[in-house]
Amino acid sequence: MSRIIEKSALDLFSKRGYEGASISAIAKNASVSKSLIFRYFTNKEQILETIVNREKELLIKIIESVEETLAPAHRFLTWVDVLFQHFSSHAKEMKLLVSVFLHEDSSGELQKYLSRTESGFVYLNRKEEKIIESYLGVKNSEDVFLFRYLVQGALVEYLLDGEKEHLTRGKKMVLKIFKDKKEGL
């Protein structure tokens, strides 16, 4: 039942934003009572935390599985491939993550939660940096920023209009630019 509630909340969070989704609306969307929601979650923040933590853990598992790939080139290509596939298959979660990280919470509750969960995302970023650097054979923070800007730009464009072409083109662009960088062009 908790997964049904989470799915309902994710649906509303991705459509209305975190602030725009009340417990009542989540209950109605899940076709359950508010009291049933409170059997599983103490408040809306806990629902959000559960969803974000699940997504964070999934991304960490994905990058750790990619790290097991032996050759740096294969590791980089696999990471780009699975990252863009993940964006496509987890659009609501990505929209939620983007909105949460951009959200200014007047009560500070969201910011407190983000500071508690930040270490997992920092860990994920470090793993990604190592993949990029081992592929290029050089440690360069500008290359890591370029990678993230390209990837995040493609993701935001996709989230704005739902056109998967943004992901396809973004992936091709990342692969071309980083292939050229590796070859020294």
mmCIF file of all heavy atoms in Angstrom, residues 32-70:
data_model
loop_
_atom_site.group_PDB
_atom_site.id
_atom_site.type_symbol
_atom_site.label_atom_id
_atom_site.label_comp_id
_atom_site.label_asym_id
_atom_site.label_seq_id
_atom_site.Cartn_x
_atom_site.Cartn_y
_atom_site.Cartn_z
ATOM 1 N N VAL A 32 -7.470 6.312 -1.613
ATOM 2 C CA VAL A 32 -7.382 5.838 -0.231
ATOM 3 C C VAL A 32 -7.763 6.997 0.689
ATOM 4 O O VAL A 32 -7.864 8.140 0.260
ATOM 5 C CB VAL A 32 -5.956 5.324 0.135
ATOM 6 C CG1 VAL A 32 -5.557 4.166 -0.766
ATOM 7 C CG2 VAL A 32 -4.930 6.436 0.079
ATOM 8 N N SER A 33 -7.946 6.687 1.958
ATOM 9 C CA SER A 33 -8.271 7.733 2.923
ATOM 10 C C SER A 33 -6.991 8.394 3.438
ATOM 11 O O SER A 33 -5.912 7.802 3.382
ATOM 12 C CB SER A 33 -9.044 7.138 4.106
ATOM 13 O OG SER A 33 -8.201 6.263 4.832
ATOM 14 N N LYS A 34 -7.150 9.620 3.933
ATOM 15 C CA LYS A 34 -6.002 10.304 4.529
ATOM 16 C C LYS A 34 -5.467 9.513 5.712
ATOM 17 O O LYS A 34 -4.256 9.428 5.912
ATOM 18 C CB LYS A 34 -6.403 11.716 4.983
ATOM 19 C CG LYS A 34 -6.496 12.718 3.869
ATOM 20 C CD LYS A 34 -7.016 14.085 4.284
ATOM 21 C CE LYS A 34 -6.500 14.636 5.557
ATOM 22 N NZ LYS A 34 -6.963 16.023 5.827
ATOM 23 N N SER A 35 -6.374 8.925 6.497
ATOM 24 C CA SER A 35 -5.926 8.167 7.673
ATOM 25 C C SER A 35 -5.066 6.970 7.262
ATOM 26 O O SER A 35 -4.121 6.615 7.967
ATOM 27 C CB SER A 35 -7.111 7.716 8.531
ATOM 28 O OG SER A 35 -7.965 6.878 7.794
ATOM 29 N N LEU A 36 -5.339 6.377 6.111
ATOM 30 C CA LEU A 36 -4.503 5.269 5.637
ATOM 31 C C LEU A 36 -3.100 5.765 5.286
ATOM 32 O O LEU A 36 -2.110 5.092 5.571
ATOM 33 C CB LEU A 36 -5.141 4.568 4.429
ATOM 34 C CG LEU A 36 -4.399 3.333 3.932
ATOM 35 C CD1 LEU A 36 -4.372 2.248 5.006
ATOM 36 C CD2 LEU A 36 -5.051 2.793 2.669
ATOM 37 N N ILE A 37 -3.023 6.936 4.704
ATOM 38 C CA ILE A 37 -1.705 7.510 4.406
ATOM 39 C C ILE A 37 -0.915 7.673 5.699
ATOM 40 O O ILE A 37 0.273 7.324 5.759
ATOM 41 C CB ILE A 37 -1.839 8.853 3.652
ATOM 42 C CG1 ILE A 37 -2.323 8.592 2.227
ATOM 43 C CG2 ILE A 37 -0.502 9.603 3.651
ATOM 44 C CD1 ILE A 37 -2.540 9.836 1.394
ATOM 45 N N PHE A 38 -1.575 8.151 6.746
ATOM 46 C CA PHE A 38 -0.872 8.385 8.008
ATOM 47 C C PHE A 38 -0.500 7.089 8.729
ATOM 48 O O PHE A 38 0.295 7.127 9.666
ATOM 49 C CB PHE A 38 -1.683 9.326 8.902
ATOM 50 C CG PHE A 38 -1.716 10.737 8.389
ATOM 51 C CD1 PHE A 38 -2.913 11.339 8.031
ATOM 52 C CD2 PHE A 38 -0.538 11.463 8.235
ATOM 53 C CE1 PHE A 38 -2.941 12.641 7.548
ATOM 54 C CE2 PHE A 38 -0.549 12.763 7.744
ATOM 55 C CZ PHE A 38 -1.755 13.349 7.404
ATOM 56 N N ARG A 39 -1.020 5.977 8.306
ATOM 57 C CA ARG A 39 -0.569 4.687 8.845
ATOM 58 C C ARG A 39 0.835 4.358 8.335
ATOM 59 O O ARG A 39 1.592 3.669 9.000
ATOM 60 C CB ARG A 39 -1.504 3.562 8.431
ATOM 61 C CG ARG A 39 -2.800 3.538 9.156
ATOM 62 C CD ARG A 39 -3.689 2.562 8.481
ATOM 63 N NE ARG A 39 -4.034 1.474 9.380
ATOM 64 C CZ ARG A 39 -4.682 0.414 8.996
ATOM 65 N NH1 ARG A 39 -5.000 0.258 7.718
ATOM 66 N NH2 ARG A 39 -5.005 -0.508 9.856
ATOM 67 N N TYR A 40 1.149 4.858 7.141
ATOM 68 C CA TYR A 40 2.429 4.547 6.507
ATOM 69 C C TYR A 40 3.444 5.685 6.583
ATOM 70 O O TYR A 40 4.649 5.442 6.580
ATOM 71 C CB TYR A 40 2.208 4.175 5.029
ATOM 72 C CG TYR A 40 1.454 2.887 4.865
ATOM 73 C CD1 TYR A 40 0.076 2.882 4.704
ATOM 74 C CD2 TYR A 40 2.120 1.668 4.876
ATOM 75 C CE1 TYR A 40 -0.626 1.693 4.558
ATOM 76 C CE2 TYR A 40 1.431 0.479 4.728
ATOM 77 C CZ TYR A 40 0.057 0.491 4.572
ATOM 78 O OH TYR A 40 -0.625 -0.684 4.433
ATOM 79 N N PHE A 41 2.950 6.902 6.625
ATOM 80 C CA PHE A 41 3.826 8.081 6.605
ATOM 81 C C PHE A 41 3.354 9.083 7.652
ATOM 82 O O PHE A 41 2.155 9.285 7.804
ATOM 83 C CB PHE A 41 3.809 8.750 5.222
ATOM 84 C CG PHE A 41 4.236 7.833 4.109
ATOM 85 C CD1 PHE A 41 3.298 7.170 3.332
ATOM 86 C CD2 PHE A 41 5.580 7.630 3.849
ATOM 87 C CE1 PHE A 41 3.687 6.323 2.306
ATOM 88 C CE2 PHE A 41 5.983 6.779 2.827
ATOM 89 C CZ PHE A 41 5.040 6.125 2.058
ATOM 90 N N THR A 42 4.309 9.736 8.306
ATOM 91 C CA THR A 42 3.927 10.714 9.325
ATOM 92 C C THR A 42 3.475 12.037 8.718
ATOM 93 O O THR A 42 2.686 12.755 9.319
ATOM 94 C CB THR A 42 5.092 10.982 10.304
ATOM 95 O OG1 THR A 42 6.234 11.391 9.555
ATOM 96 C CG2 THR A 42 5.432 9.751 11.109
ATOM 97 N N ASN A 43 3.994 12.349 7.520
ATOM 98 C CA ASN A 43 3.627 13.605 6.871
ATOM 99 C C ASN A 43 4.054 13.553 5.392
ATOM 100 O O ASN A 43 4.648 12.566 4.940
ATOM 101 C CB ASN A 43 4.262 14.802 7.587
ATOM 102 C CG ASN A 43 5.758 14.639 7.740
ATOM 103 O OD1 ASN A 43 6.440 14.048 6.902
ATOM 104 N ND2 ASN A 43 6.288 15.150 8.845
ATOM 105 N N LYS A 44 3.767 14.622 4.686
ATOM 106 C CA LYS A 44 4.098 14.708 3.257
ATOM 107 C C LYS A 44 5.600 14.685 3.038
ATOM 108 O O LYS A 44 6.088 14.102 2.067
ATOM 109 C CB LYS A 44 3.470 15.990 2.687
ATOM 110 C CG LYS A 44 3.631 16.146 1.200
ATOM 111 C CD LYS A 44 2.822 17.317 0.658
ATOM 112 C CE LYS A 44 3.444 18.628 0.982
ATOM 113 N NZ LYS A 44 2.862 19.754 0.198
ATOM 114 N N GLU A 45 6.342 15.300 3.949
ATOM 115 C CA GLU A 45 7.803 15.326 3.828
ATOM 116 C C GLU A 45 8.382 13.917 3.835
ATOM 117 O O GLU A 45 9.327 13.620 3.103
ATOM 118 C CB GLU A 45 8.437 16.159 4.955
ATOM 119 C CG GLU A 45 8.184 17.644 4.843
ATOM 120 C CD GLU A 45 6.811 18.067 5.383
ATOM 121 O OE1 GLU A 45 6.130 17.263 6.063
ATOM 122 O OE2 GLU A 45 6.407 19.205 5.103
ATOM 123 N N GLN A 46 7.813 13.054 4.668
ATOM 124 C CA GLN A 46 8.315 11.678 4.728
ATOM 125 C C GLN A 46 8.038 10.926 3.424
ATOM 126 O O GLN A 46 8.852 10.111 2.993
ATOM 127 C CB GLN A 46 7.713 10.918 5.911
ATOM 128 C CG GLN A 46 8.380 9.574 6.106
ATOM 129 C CD GLN A 46 7.788 8.786 7.242
ATOM 130 O OE1 GLN A 46 6.615 8.937 7.591
ATOM 131 N NE2 GLN A 46 8.603 7.917 7.827
ATOM 132 N N ILE A 47 6.929 11.220 2.794
ATOM 133 C CA ILE A 47 6.639 10.608 1.486
ATOM 134 C C ILE A 47 7.689 11.066 0.489
ATOM 135 O O ILE A 47 8.267 10.258 -0.246
ATOM 136 C CB ILE A 47 5.221 10.964 0.986
ATOM 137 C CG1 ILE A 47 4.147 10.473 1.964
ATOM 138 C CG2 ILE A 47 4.992 10.371 -0.412
ATOM 139 C CD1 ILE A 47 2.751 10.968 1.654
ATOM 140 N N LEU A 48 7.961 12.374 0.470
ATOM 141 C CA LEU A 48 8.977 12.928 -0.418
ATOM 142 C C LEU A 48 10.338 12.283 -0.151
ATOM 143 O O LEU A 48 11.033 11.856 -1.079
ATOM 144 C CB LEU A 48 9.079 14.443 -0.244
ATOM 145 C CG LEU A 48 10.208 15.121 -1.012
ATOM 146 C CD1 LEU A 48 9.895 15.125 -2.506
ATOM 147 C CD2 LEU A 48 10.432 16.529 -0.503
ATOM 148 N N GLU A 49 10.724 12.205 1.119
ATOM 149 C CA GLU A 49 12.011 11.604 1.478
ATOM 150 C C GLU A 49 12.112 10.170 0.980
ATOM 151 O O GLU A 49 13.151 9.765 0.460
ATOM 152 C CB GLU A 49 12.210 11.638 2.992
ATOM 153 C CG GLU A 49 12.517 13.005 3.533
ATOM 154 C CD GLU A 49 12.732 13.003 5.044
ATOM 155 O OE1 GLU A 49 13.178 11.976 5.584
ATOM 156 O OE2 GLU A 49 12.450 14.043 5.665
ATOM 157 N N THR A 50 11.050 9.421 1.119
ATOM 158 C CA THR A 50 11.047 8.023 0.687
ATOM 159 C C THR A 50 11.270 7.924 -0.819
ATOM 160 O O THR A 50 12.077 7.124 -1.288
ATOM 161 C CB THR A 50 9.713 7.347 1.082
ATOM 162 O OG1 THR A 50 9.557 7.442 2.498
ATOM 163 C CG2 THR A 50 9.680 5.891 0.651
ATOM 164 N N ILE A 51 10.577 8.764 -1.561
ATOM 165 C CA ILE A 51 10.704 8.746 -3.024
ATOM 166 C C ILE A 51 12.111 9.171 -3.446
ATOM 167 O O ILE A 51 12.753 8.499 -4.267
ATOM 168 C CB ILE A 51 9.637 9.664 -3.677
ATOM 169 C CG1 ILE A 51 8.234 9.107 -3.416
ATOM 170 C CG2 ILE A 51 9.895 9.814 -5.180
ATOM 171 C CD1 ILE A 51 7.111 10.084 -3.744
ATOM 172 N N VAL A 52 12.594 10.269 -2.896
ATOM 173 C CA VAL A 52 13.923 10.768 -3.264
ATOM 174 C C VAL A 52 15.006 9.776 -2.852
ATOM 175 O O VAL A 52 15.930 9.505 -3.621
ATOM 176 C CB VAL A 52 14.173 12.175 -2.665
ATOM 177 C CG1 VAL A 52 15.620 12.607 -2.866
ATOM 178 C CG2 VAL A 52 13.227 13.193 -3.292
ATOM 179 N N ASN A 53 14.895 9.206 -1.655
ATOM 180 C CA ASN A 53 15.892 8.225 -1.212
ATOM 181 C C ASN A 53 15.913 6.991 -2.100
ATOM 182 O O ASN A 53 16.979 6.466 -2.420
ATOM 183 C CB ASN A 53 15.657 7.824 0.243
ATOM 184 C CG ASN A 53 16.104 8.889 1.205
ATOM 185 O OD1 ASN A 53 16.972 9.704 0.902
ATOM 186 N ND2 ASN A 53 15.514 8.903 2.380
ATOM 187 N N ARG A 54 14.751 6.545 -2.512
ATOM 188 C CA ARG A 54 14.691 5.380 -3.401
ATOM 189 C C ARG A 54 15.378 5.688 -4.732
ATOM 190 O O ARG A 54 16.155 4.889 -5.255
ATOM 191 C CB ARG A 54 13.253 4.947 -3.642
ATOM 192 C CG ARG A 54 13.167 3.701 -4.536
ATOM 193 C CD ARG A 54 11.767 3.139 -4.684
ATOM 194 N NE ARG A 54 11.391 2.472 -3.446
ATOM 195 C CZ ARG A 54 10.460 2.908 -2.598
ATOM 196 N NH1 ARG A 54 9.787 4.001 -2.860
ATOM 197 N NH2 ARG A 54 10.185 2.263 -1.492
ATOM 198 N N GLU A 55 15.127 6.855 -5.276
ATOM 199 C CA GLU A 55 15.730 7.248 -6.548
ATOM 200 C C GLU A 55 17.240 7.402 -6.402
ATOM 201 O O GLU A 55 18.010 6.955 -7.249
ATOM 202 C CB GLU A 55 15.102 8.543 -7.062
ATOM 203 C CG GLU A 55 15.558 8.942 -8.433
ATOM 204 C CD GLU A 55 15.222 7.945 -9.518
ATOM 205 O OE1 GLU A 55 14.307 7.108 -9.354
ATOM 206 O OE2 GLU A 55 15.895 7.995 -10.569
ATOM 207 N N LYS A 56 17.668 8.026 -5.316
ATOM 208 C CA LYS A 56 19.093 8.199 -5.054
ATOM 209 C C LYS A 56 19.784 6.836 -4.945
ATOM 210 O O LYS A 56 20.833 6.612 -5.557
ATOM 211 C CB LYS A 56 19.292 8.993 -3.770
ATOM 212 C CG LYS A 56 20.733 9.154 -3.347
ATOM 213 C CD LYS A 56 20.852 9.854 -2.012
ATOM 214 C CE LYS A 56 20.235 8.994 -0.952
ATOM 215 N NZ LYS A 56 20.288 9.518 0.389
ATOM 216 N N GLU A 57 19.200 5.925 -4.197
ATOM 217 C CA GLU A 57 19.784 4.588 -4.035
ATOM 218 C C GLU A 57 19.832 3.837 -5.359
ATOM 219 O O GLU A 57 20.800 3.126 -5.642
ATOM 220 C CB GLU A 57 19.018 3.786 -2.978
ATOM 221 C CG GLU A 57 19.169 4.330 -1.576
ATOM 222 C CD GLU A 57 20.616 4.449 -1.112
ATOM 223 O OE1 GLU A 57 21.412 3.513 -1.370
ATOM 224 O OE2 GLU A 57 20.954 5.482 -0.505
ATOM 225 N N LEU A 58 18.815 4.007 -6.175
ATOM 226 C CA LEU A 58 18.805 3.364 -7.485
ATOM 227 C C LEU A 58 19.934 3.902 -8.360
ATOM 228 O O LEU A 58 20.662 3.134 -9.001
ATOM 229 C CB LEU A 58 17.450 3.560 -8.171
ATOM 230 C CG LEU A 58 17.281 2.964 -9.566
ATOM 231 C CD1 LEU A 58 17.531 1.456 -9.557
ATOM 232 C CD2 LEU A 58 15.884 3.263 -10.088
ATOM 233 N N LEU A 59 20.103 5.213 -8.380
ATOM 234 C CA LEU A 59 21.189 5.813 -9.163
ATOM 235 C C LEU A 59 22.554 5.356 -8.655
ATOM 236 O O LEU A 59 23.462 5.096 -9.447
ATOM 237 C CB LEU A 59 21.087 7.336 -9.144
ATOM 238 C CG LEU A 59 19.970 7.917 -10.007
ATOM 239 C CD1 LEU A 59 19.745 9.384 -9.668
ATOM 240 C CD2 LEU A 59 20.282 7.747 -11.485
ATOM 241 N N ILE A 60 22.703 5.233 -7.354
ATOM 242 C CA ILE A 60 23.968 4.757 -6.792
ATOM 243 C C ILE A 60 24.227 3.314 -7.210
ATOM 244 O O ILE A 60 25.348 2.961 -7.608
ATOM 245 C CB ILE A 60 23.988 4.931 -5.262
ATOM 246 C CG1 ILE A 60 24.132 6.426 -4.925
ATOM 247 C CG2 ILE A 60 25.112 4.110 -4.621
ATOM 248 C CD1 ILE A 60 23.947 6.756 -3.455
ATOM 249 N N LYS A 61 23.208 2.472 -7.161
ATOM 250 C CA LYS A 61 23.378 1.077 -7.599
ATOM 251 C C LYS A 61 23.765 1.013 -9.075
ATOM 252 O O LYS A 61 24.606 0.224 -9.472
ATOM 253 C CB LYS A 61 22.093 0.282 -7.367
ATOM 254 C CG LYS A 61 21.872 -0.123 -5.956
ATOM 255 C CD LYS A 61 20.591 -0.921 -5.807
ATOM 256 C CE LYS A 61 20.331 -1.207 -4.344
ATOM 257 N NZ LYS A 61 19.064 -1.898 -4.127
ATOM 258 N N ILE A 62 23.140 1.864 -9.872
ATOM 259 C CA ILE A 62 23.443 1.880 -11.306
ATOM 260 C C ILE A 62 24.893 2.275 -11.533
ATOM 261 O O ILE A 62 25.621 1.599 -12.268
ATOM 262 C CB ILE A 62 22.481 2.828 -12.062
ATOM 263 C CG1 ILE A 62 21.058 2.258 -12.081
ATOM 264 C CG2 ILE A 62 22.979 3.066 -13.489
ATOM 265 C CD1 ILE A 62 19.999 3.241 -12.570
ATOM 266 N N ILE A 63 25.341 3.354 -10.904
ATOM 267 C CA ILE A 63 26.716 3.808 -11.158
ATOM 268 C C ILE A 63 27.730 2.814 -10.590
ATOM 269 O O ILE A 63 28.783 2.602 -11.179
ATOM 270 C CB ILE A 63 26.973 5.242 -10.655
ATOM 271 C CG1 ILE A 63 28.180 5.833 -11.399
ATOM 272 C CG2 ILE A 63 27.159 5.301 -9.158
ATOM 273 C CD1 ILE A 63 28.297 7.327 -11.322
ATOM 274 N N GLU A 64 27.412 2.186 -9.481
ATOM 275 C CA GLU A 64 28.330 1.182 -8.930
ATOM 276 C C GLU A 64 28.420 -0.042 -9.837
ATOM 277 O O GLU A 64 29.487 -0.624 -9.980
ATOM 278 C CB GLU A 64 27.912 0.794 -7.511
ATOM 279 C CG GLU A 64 28.225 1.894 -6.507
ATOM 280 C CD GLU A 64 27.746 1.608 -5.100
ATOM 281 O OE1 GLU A 64 26.896 0.706 -4.904
ATOM 282 O OE2 GLU A 64 28.215 2.301 -4.166
ATOM 283 N N SER A 65 27.322 -0.401 -10.484
ATOM 284 C CA SER A 65 27.382 -1.529 -11.420
ATOM 285 C C SER A 65 28.193 -1.163 -12.661
ATOM 286 O O SER A 65 28.902 -1.991 -13.217
ATOM 287 C CB SER A 65 25.981 -2.013 -11.800
ATOM 288 O OG SER A 65 25.340 -1.092 -12.644
ATOM 289 N N VAL A 66 28.105 0.098 -13.076
ATOM 290 C CA VAL A 66 28.883 0.572 -14.225
ATOM 291 C C VAL A 66 30.368 0.595 -13.875
ATOM 292 O O VAL A 66 31.211 0.272 -14.699
ATOM 293 C CB VAL A 66 28.395 1.967 -14.682
ATOM 294 C CG1 VAL A 66 29.358 2.599 -15.667
ATOM 295 C CG2 VAL A 66 26.999 1.869 -15.285
ATOM 296 N N GLU A 67 30.684 0.950 -12.638
ATOM 297 C CA GLU A 67 32.081 1.006 -12.203
ATOM 298 C C GLU A 67 32.785 -0.338 -12.334
ATOM 299 O O GLU A 67 33.991 -0.392 -12.463
ATOM 300 C CB GLU A 67 32.157 1.417 -10.733
ATOM 301 C CG GLU A 67 32.148 2.881 -10.505
ATOM 302 C CD GLU A 67 32.381 3.178 -9.045
ATOM 303 O OE1 GLU A 67 31.766 2.527 -8.181
ATOM 304 O OE2 GLU A 67 33.177 4.080 -8.782
ATOM 305 N N GLU A 68 32.016 -1.413 -12.295
ATOM 306 C CA GLU A 68 32.604 -2.745 -12.396
ATOM 307 C C GLU A 68 33.062 -3.074 -13.804
ATOM 308 O O GLU A 68 33.769 -4.045 -14.013
ATOM 309 C CB GLU A 68 31.604 -3.790 -11.887
ATOM 310 C CG GLU A 68 31.299 -3.617 -10.405
ATOM 311 C CD GLU A 68 30.188 -4.520 -9.913
ATOM 312 O OE1 GLU A 68 29.711 -5.382 -10.677
ATOM 313 O OE2 GLU A 68 29.788 -4.359 -8.750
ATOM 314 N N THR A 69 32.638 -2.260 -14.771
ATOM 315 C CA THR A 69 33.099 -2.436 -16.142
ATOM 316 C C THR A 69 34.589 -2.155 -16.172
ATOM 317 O O THR A 69 35.046 -1.167 -15.614
ATOM 318 C CB THR A 69 32.342 -1.462 -17.078
ATOM 319 O OG1 THR A 69 30.943 -1.662 -16.899
ATOM 320 C CG2 THR A 69 32.709 -1.688 -18.520
ATOM 321 N N LEU A 70 35.351 -3.010 -16.843
ATOM 322 C CA LEU A 70 36.808 -2.927 -16.759
ATOM 323 C C LEU A 70 37.433 -1.759 -17.514
ATOM 324 O O LEU A 70 38.177 -0.985 -16.945
ATOM 325 C CB LEU A 70 37.427 -4.250 -17.225
ATOM 326 C CG LEU A 70 37.042 -5.463 -16.366
ATOM 327 C CD1 LEU A 70 37.614 -6.732 -16.962
ATOM 328 C CD2 LEU A 70 37.525 -5.276 -14.939
#
